[in-house]
Amino acid sequence: MPPSLFKPSAFRALTSFSSSATPSASRLFSSTPVVSLSPPRHTTPTTTPHRLGTIMKDRNAAPRPSTSGNDAAERMLARHRARLVEQRQTQLETAEKVKEKKIARDLIRQMPRRWQAGDVYAPHDLSSVEMRKWKKKSGRAGDLVDALNLSPLDLYKNFSLVRHFTSSAGQILHSRETKLRPVNQRKIAKMIRRVQGMGLYPSIHAHPEMIRSDFFPNHRY
């Protein structure tokens, strides 16, 4: 037997029921979501186009505040520059003090007289004539080598001459004690090193021939 068709009377009853029913009841017979058919509402902009353009222009023209990172970098750079300026100033002050001390030392060196606290002096005492009177006389005026016209490098076998310019321990005497000019002092030193290097003269004491009389005063040669 063929299936029975849907009767029109039943369809009309279902339609009248769905139209009179509530939306919640009609949702029971539909699988599609409910869509509102109300027309959309158009809102008018709060600002006009020319007003919006003015605001954007003012915002672009206004200076942008610097970020915290840029501020920190600028502060560090400023401190570094201030430190460099301070170091440069300190170096200049130190150089100036050193220069002043050097000038003072040079002036004191040129002034042979040493003034003491309480000394009374006249302006004439600071003249070159008076200063020359206080200048120490050099003891090298009586140079033995120049006075006797000696050639030290040829007299290295003269033990008396070698002993005159050496100490009891065989060391070369300083020019303050020998009173020789620098050129003659170098010749005497070379002579002494030569004779000691050849083994003719001891380097730790005087020659035995020179000190024999100290040990044997009554001995006759």
Side-chain angles (χ1 to χ4, degrees), residues 67-129:
T67 60
S68 59
N70 294 339
D71 293 342
E74 291 177 0
R75 288 195 298 269
M76 290 179 62
L77 185 60
R79 287 197 299 268
H80 180 65
R81 290 176 179 173
R83 194 180 301 112
L84 289 179
V85 172
E86 185 179 356
Q87 291 178 358
R88 181 61 178 171
Q89 187 68 20
T90 305
Q91 291 177 357
L92 292 177
E93 293 177 358
T94 305
E96 189 67 23
K97 291 180 181 179
V98 171
K99 184 178 180 181
E100 292 177 358
K101 288 183 179 180
K102 183 178 180 181
I103 294 175
R105 265 197 315 270
D106 293 342
L107 292 176
I108 292 176
R109 191 179 296 112
Q110 296 173 13
M111 187 183 300
R113 183 174 180 178
R114 297 294 181 264
W115 300 95
Q116 304 295 333
D119 290 349
V120 181
Y121 61 92
H124 179 68
D125 295 337
L126 302 177
S127 62
S128 59
V129 177

XYZ file of all heavy atoms in Angstrom, residues 67-129:
512
model
N 61.615 58.652 25.106
C 61.416 57.470 25.933
C 62.393 57.470 27.099
O 63.367 58.226 27.135
C 61.606 56.206 25.091
O 62.940 56.214 24.555
C 60.604 56.160 23.945
N 62.146 56.594 28.034
C 63.007 56.515 29.215
C 64.417 56.061 28.849
O 65.396 56.481 29.448
C 62.384 55.555 30.237
O 62.233 54.266 29.660
N 64.552 55.188 27.832
C 65.879 54.732 27.420
C 66.717 55.865 26.854
O 67.909 55.993 27.146
N 66.105 56.725 26.042
C 66.848 57.864 25.497
C 67.259 58.836 26.588
O 68.352 59.406 26.559
C 65.995 58.576 24.451
C 65.752 57.707 23.223
O 66.512 56.773 22.973
N 64.703 57.990 22.479
N 66.378 59.059 27.561
C 66.728 59.949 28.675
C 67.920 59.412 29.459
O 68.830 60.157 29.824
C 65.521 60.108 29.608
C 64.381 60.867 28.928
O 64.660 61.537 27.916
O 63.235 60.771 29.400
N 67.934 58.113 29.716
C 69.062 57.524 30.453
C 70.358 57.638 29.669
O 71.415 57.938 30.234
C 68.754 56.050 30.753
N 70.293 57.425 28.348
C 71.501 57.534 27.526
C 72.019 58.970 27.510
O 73.237 59.205 27.596
C 71.200 57.057 26.101
N 71.119 59.934 27.433
C 71.540 61.332 27.436
C 72.161 61.713 28.774
O 73.150 62.448 28.829
C 70.343 62.226 27.129
C 69.841 62.109 25.682
C 68.620 62.957 25.438
O 68.179 63.628 26.416
O 68.114 62.966 24.308
N 71.594 61.213 29.878
C 72.183 61.514 31.186
C 73.570 60.893 31.328
O 74.495 61.530 31.858
C 71.259 61.011 32.293
C 69.982 61.820 32.458
C 69.303 61.495 33.782
N 68.917 60.093 33.849
C 67.740 59.619 33.465
N 66.831 60.447 32.965
N 67.445 58.335 33.566
N 73.729 59.660 30.853
C 75.048 59.021 30.921
C 76.065 59.771 30.073
O 77.217 59.960 30.482
C 74.928 57.575 30.443
C 74.164 56.666 31.387
S 74.011 54.973 30.777
C 75.737 54.511 30.693
N 75.641 60.222 28.884
C 76.558 60.980 28.026
C 76.937 62.302 28.657
O 78.101 62.734 28.588
C 75.897 61.197 26.662
C 76.755 61.876 25.581
C 77.999 61.046 25.304
C 75.956 62.058 24.301
N 75.972 62.953 29.306
C 76.273 64.226 29.965
C 77.247 64.024 31.117
O 78.186 64.804 31.299
C 74.978 64.867 30.464
N 77.062 62.954 31.919
C 77.995 62.680 33.006
C 79.388 62.362 32.477
O 80.396 62.784 33.060
C 77.476 61.513 33.853
C 76.283 61.866 34.729
C 76.077 60.820 35.819
N 75.802 59.513 35.262
C 74.588 59.037 35.010
N 73.510 59.788 35.275
N 74.420 57.828 34.519
N 79.460 61.617 31.370
C 80.765 61.277 30.794
C 81.481 62.538 30.314
O 82.690 62.701 30.545
C 80.562 60.305 29.632
C 81.837 59.892 28.951
N 82.818 59.146 29.586
C 82.301 60.137 27.700
C 83.825 58.952 28.756
N 83.538 59.540 27.616
N 80.747 63.434 29.673
C 81.374 64.678 29.209
C 81.833 65.527 30.384
O 82.929 66.116 30.339
C 80.379 65.450 28.351
C 80.088 64.792 26.997
C 79.018 65.549 26.241
N 78.760 64.947 24.933
C 77.778 65.337 24.123
N 76.966 66.323 24.485
N 77.608 64.731 22.943
N 81.028 65.597 31.427
C 81.439 66.369 32.604
C 82.679 65.770 33.248
O 83.576 66.491 33.697
C 80.281 66.419 33.603
N 82.772 64.434 33.281
C 83.945 63.776 33.846
C 85.191 64.068 33.009
O 86.285 64.299 33.555
C 83.708 62.272 33.929
C 84.721 61.545 34.800
C 84.442 60.064 34.861
N 83.114 59.792 35.398
C 82.118 59.291 34.687
N 82.297 58.985 33.411
N 80.952 59.056 35.240
N 85.040 64.063 31.678
C 86.188 64.366 30.821
C 86.661 65.799 31.027
O 87.870 66.072 31.080
C 85.806 64.145 29.353
C 85.606 62.688 28.919
C 85.204 62.635 27.441
C 86.852 61.870 29.136
N 85.716 66.729 31.159
C 86.090 68.128 31.383
C 86.811 68.283 32.718
O 87.811 69.000 32.828
C 84.833 69.017 31.325
C 85.166 70.437 31.751
C 84.247 69.013 29.914
N 86.328 67.575 33.744
C 86.969 67.643 35.059
C 88.368 67.060 35.021
O 89.309 67.623 35.607
C 86.108 66.904 36.078
C 86.625 67.004 37.496
C 85.716 66.283 38.483
O 84.655 65.776 38.041
O 86.070 66.239 39.672
N 88.545 65.928 34.324
C 89.879 65.332 34.221
C 90.829 66.251 33.469
O 91.997 66.391 33.846
C 89.778 63.980 33.523
C 89.087 62.901 34.340
C 88.978 61.600 33.592
O 89.390 61.506 32.433
N 88.422 60.578 34.236
N 90.340 66.863 32.398
C 91.193 67.786 31.637
C 91.609 68.975 32.490
O 92.776 69.396 32.447
C 90.431 68.263 30.393
C 91.222 69.214 29.509
C 92.468 68.562 28.987
N 93.214 69.447 28.106
C 94.418 69.205 27.641
N 95.048 68.092 27.988
N 95.026 70.063 26.844
N 90.672 69.496 33.287
C 91.000 70.617 34.160
C 92.025 70.215 35.204
O 92.962 70.967 35.516
C 89.710 71.120 34.826
C 89.890 72.399 35.629
C 90.192 73.598 34.759
O 89.922 73.577 33.565
N 90.760 74.627 35.351
N 91.881 69.009 35.746
C 92.845 68.529 36.739
C 94.239 68.363 36.123
O 95.248 68.702 36.751
C 92.362 67.191 37.320
O 91.045 67.348 37.849
C 93.294 66.720 38.422
N 94.299 67.836 34.905
C 95.589 67.684 34.242
C 96.254 69.025 33.999
O 97.474 69.175 34.189
C 95.399 66.937 32.917
C 95.010 65.473 33.087
C 94.754 64.792 31.762
O 94.812 65.439 30.700
N 94.450 63.507 31.789
N 95.473 70.014 33.588
C 96.045 71.341 33.352
C 96.566 71.950 34.652
O 97.651 72.550 34.673
C 94.990 72.253 32.722
C 94.555 71.895 31.288
C 93.449 72.825 30.822
C 95.736 71.954 30.330
N 95.808 71.786 35.738
C 96.266 72.318 37.020
C 97.535 71.621 37.487
O 98.456 72.265 37.993
C 95.156 72.160 38.065
C 93.924 73.024 37.794
C 92.822 72.790 38.799
O 93.032 71.905 39.680
O 91.781 73.462 38.730
N 97.604 70.308 37.307
C 98.807 69.571 37.709
C 100.017 69.997 36.892
O 101.121 70.181 37.424
C 98.572 68.065 37.543
O 97.409 67.674 38.277
C 99.760 67.271 38.042
N 99.822 70.150 35.579
C 100.929 70.593 34.723
C 101.404 71.988 35.117
O 102.613 72.270 35.113
C 100.493 70.564 33.264
N 100.465 72.843 35.495
C 100.844 74.205 35.900
C 101.644 74.168 37.209
O 102.644 74.896 37.347
C 99.582 75.052 36.073
C 99.846 76.527 36.285
C 100.445 77.198 35.064
O 100.261 76.668 33.952
O 101.103 78.248 35.236
N 101.225 73.308 38.147
C 101.966 73.212 39.407
C 103.372 72.658 39.189
O 104.344 73.140 39.775
C 101.206 72.318 40.377
C 99.904 72.926 40.895
C 99.210 71.984 41.854
C 97.894 72.576 42.367
N 97.201 71.657 43.289
N 103.497 71.654 38.318
C 104.818 71.088 38.031
C 105.719 72.132 37.383
O 106.920 72.233 37.697
C 104.668 69.855 37.128
C 106.028 69.369 36.636
C 103.955 68.726 37.869
N 105.147 72.928 36.486
C 105.931 73.975 35.833
C 106.405 75.018 36.833
O 107.564 75.453 36.793
C 105.080 74.624 34.744
C 105.815 75.659 33.930
C 104.929 76.227 32.833
C 105.668 77.273 32.008
N 104.784 77.830 30.944
N 105.525 75.392 37.766
C 105.913 76.374 38.778
C 107.012 75.821 39.693
O 107.956 76.529 40.043
C 104.688 76.770 39.596
C 103.654 77.567 38.807
C 102.427 77.885 39.631
O 102.388 77.432 40.802
O 101.532 78.570 39.117
N 106.898 74.547 40.071
C 107.936 73.945 40.911
C 109.275 73.887 40.192
O 110.328 74.117 40.788
C 107.503 72.547 41.334
C 106.381 72.524 42.357
C 106.054 71.107 42.776
C 104.939 71.083 43.813
N 104.605 69.693 44.229
N 109.240 73.583 38.898
C 110.485 73.529 38.134
C 111.138 74.899 38.057
O 112.365 75.033 38.211
C 110.197 72.997 36.731
C 111.437 72.828 35.892
C 111.098 72.252 34.529
C 112.357 72.089 33.686
N 112.045 71.546 32.337
N 110.326 75.924 37.831
C 110.872 77.289 37.771
C 111.468 77.675 39.129
O 112.555 78.282 39.199
C 109.772 78.279 37.342
C 109.342 77.997 35.894
C 110.257 79.714 37.477
C 108.184 78.829 35.424
N 110.764 77.307 40.215
C 111.279 77.629 41.540
C 112.597 76.900 41.817
O 113.529 77.480 42.395
C 110.233 77.266 42.597
N 112.678 75.636 41.398
C 113.936 74.890 41.588
C 115.076 75.529 40.805
O 116.209 75.621 41.302
C 113.742 73.445 41.148
C 113.381 72.499 42.249
C 113.602 71.053 41.873
N 113.114 70.734 40.548
C 111.896 70.314 40.277
N 111.009 70.201 41.246
N 111.536 70.011 39.040
N 114.783 75.936 39.578
C 115.830 76.570 38.771
C 116.312 77.867 39.410
O 117.520 78.157 39.424
C 115.309 76.832 37.358
C 115.047 75.546 36.595
O 115.580 74.499 37.014
O 114.298 75.579 35.604
N 115.385 78.649 39.955
C 115.782 79.903 40.595
C 116.609 79.642 41.849
O 117.588 80.339 42.116
C 114.526 80.717 40.943
C 113.743 81.271 39.745
C 112.481 81.978 40.212
C 114.600 82.223 38.916
N 116.199 78.618 42.615
C 116.975 78.292 43.820
C 118.362 77.789 43.450
O 119.352 78.093 44.122
C 116.212 77.256 44.665
C 114.942 77.886 45.245
C 117.092 76.712 45.782
C 114.079 76.911 46.003
N 118.455 77.017 42.365
C 119.763 76.522 41.931
C 120.677 77.665 41.491
O 121.892 77.599 41.655
C 119.573 75.522 40.794
C 120.843 74.741 40.458
C 120.604 73.750 39.353
N 119.647 72.725 39.751
C 118.428 72.595 39.222
N 118.028 73.422 38.290
N 117.622 71.642 39.637
N 120.084 78.688 40.913
C 120.887 79.840 40.489
C 121.248 80.764 41.651
O 122.080 81.660 41.502
C 120.115 80.645 39.433
C 119.858 79.876 38.141
C 118.965 80.626 37.190
O 118.717 81.817 37.383
N 118.479 79.950 36.160
N 120.629 80.550 42.793
C 120.893 81.377 43.963
C 121.802 80.608 44.915
O 121.344 79.732 45.658
C 119.574 81.740 44.650
C 119.739 82.739 45.794
S 118.154 83.058 46.616
C 117.206 83.720 45.257
N 123.095 80.868 44.911
C 124.021 80.073 45.734
C 123.820 80.282 47.231
O 124.068 79.388 48.022
C 125.395 80.562 45.283
C 125.150 81.915 44.724
C 123.790 81.893 44.133
N 123.356 81.454 47.639
C 123.165 81.715 49.061
C 121.810 81.165 49.514
O 120.787 81.390 48.874
C 123.230 83.205 49.356
C 123.105 83.530 50.841
C 123.322 85.004 51.096
N 123.195 85.309 52.522
C 123.374 86.531 53.043
N 123.715 87.538 52.245
N 123.245 86.736 54.329
N 121.813 80.419 50.590
C 120.608 79.860 51.150
C 120.142 80.728 52.320
O 120.821 80.812 53.350
C 120.838 78.416 51.628
C 121.216 77.465 50.519
C 120.062 77.287 49.537
N 120.390 76.368 48.475
C 120.838 76.733 47.285
N 121.038 78.023 47.032
N 121.100 75.838 46.359
N 119.019 81.359 52.119
C 118.497 82.245 53.145
C 117.785 81.437 54.216
O 117.085 80.469 53.944
C 117.522 83.249 52.522
C 118.164 84.106 51.473
C 118.162 83.899 50.136
C 118.918 85.279 51.704
N 118.869 84.873 49.499
C 119.350 85.755 50.440
C 119.292 85.999 52.828
C 120.109 86.895 50.285
C 120.043 87.148 52.688
C 120.448 87.581 51.421
N 117.972 81.868 55.461
C 117.343 81.236 56.606
C 116.307 82.190 57.202
O 116.311 83.396 56.929
C 118.385 80.851 57.673
C 119.488 79.951 57.170
C 118.973 78.586 56.753
O 117.943 78.109 57.259
N 119.680 77.943 55.845
N 115.406 81.622 57.992
C 114.384 82.450 58.627
C 115.040 83.429 59.596
O 115.847 83.044 60.446
C 113.377 81.565 59.366
N 114.704 84.689 59.473
C 115.256 85.730 60.333
C 116.412 86.487 59.722
O 116.901 87.449 60.335
N 116.892 86.074 58.533
C 117.993 86.791 57.890
C 117.504 88.148 57.388
O 116.393 88.285 56.868
C 118.544 85.988 56.712
C 119.285 84.741 57.188
O 119.528 84.641 58.392
O 119.581 83.878 56.342
N 118.365 89.145 57.568
C 118.078 90.497 57.099
C 118.968 90.768 55.891
O 120.186 90.526 55.936
C 118.328 91.542 58.208
C 118.005 92.942 57.698
C 117.480 91.226 59.428
N 118.376 91.250 54.829
C 119.138 91.489 53.605
C 118.625 92.750 52.932
O 117.503 93.198 53.146
C 119.029 90.297 52.648
C 117.623 90.008 52.194
C 117.125 90.573 51.020
C 116.791 89.171 52.934
C 115.832 90.314 50.609
C 115.512 88.907 52.534
C 115.025 89.478 51.364
O 113.755 89.224 50.962
N 119.510 93.325 52.148
C 119.192 94.504 51.365
C 119.007 94.100 49.911
O 119.440 93.013 49.501
C 120.321 95.540 51.500
N 118.388 94.931 49.107
C 118.224 94.581 47.674
C 119.545 94.312 46.975
O 119.602 93.499 46.051
C 117.511 95.810 47.099
C 116.783 96.399 48.252
C 117.651 96.146 49.449
N 120.625 94.987 47.439
C 121.926 94.750 46.802
C 122.425 93.328 47.053
O 123.232 92.808 46.268
C 122.939 95.770 47.330
C 124.311 95.594 46.758
N 124.615 95.837 45.434
C 125.478 95.159 47.338
C 125.891 95.577 45.213
N 126.449 95.169 46.352
N 121.968 92.699 48.138
C 122.419 91.344 48.440
C 121.917 90.339 47.416
O 122.453 89.221 47.340
C 121.942 90.935 49.834
C 122.582 91.789 50.920
O 123.663 92.357 50.650
O 121.998 91.898 52.010
N 120.896 90.694 46.654
C 120.352 89.784 45.646
C 120.993 89.976 44.277
O 120.607 89.301 43.324
C 118.835 89.977 45.523
C 118.029 89.767 46.812
C 116.565 90.056 46.555
C 118.211 88.351 47.335
N 121.948 90.860 44.168
C 122.608 91.095 42.885
C 123.565 89.954 42.565
O 123.952 89.163 43.433
C 123.357 92.430 42.905
O 124.377 92.389 43.897
N 123.965 89.878 41.314
C 124.871 88.810 40.873
C 126.242 88.930 41.512
O 126.927 87.927 41.747
C 124.984 88.821 39.352
O 125.464 90.088 38.901
N 126.675 90.176 41.803
C 127.988 90.381 42.404
C 128.038 89.779 43.804
O 128.991 89.070 44.171
C 128.330 91.882 42.432
C 129.673 92.116 43.135
C 128.357 92.456 41.024
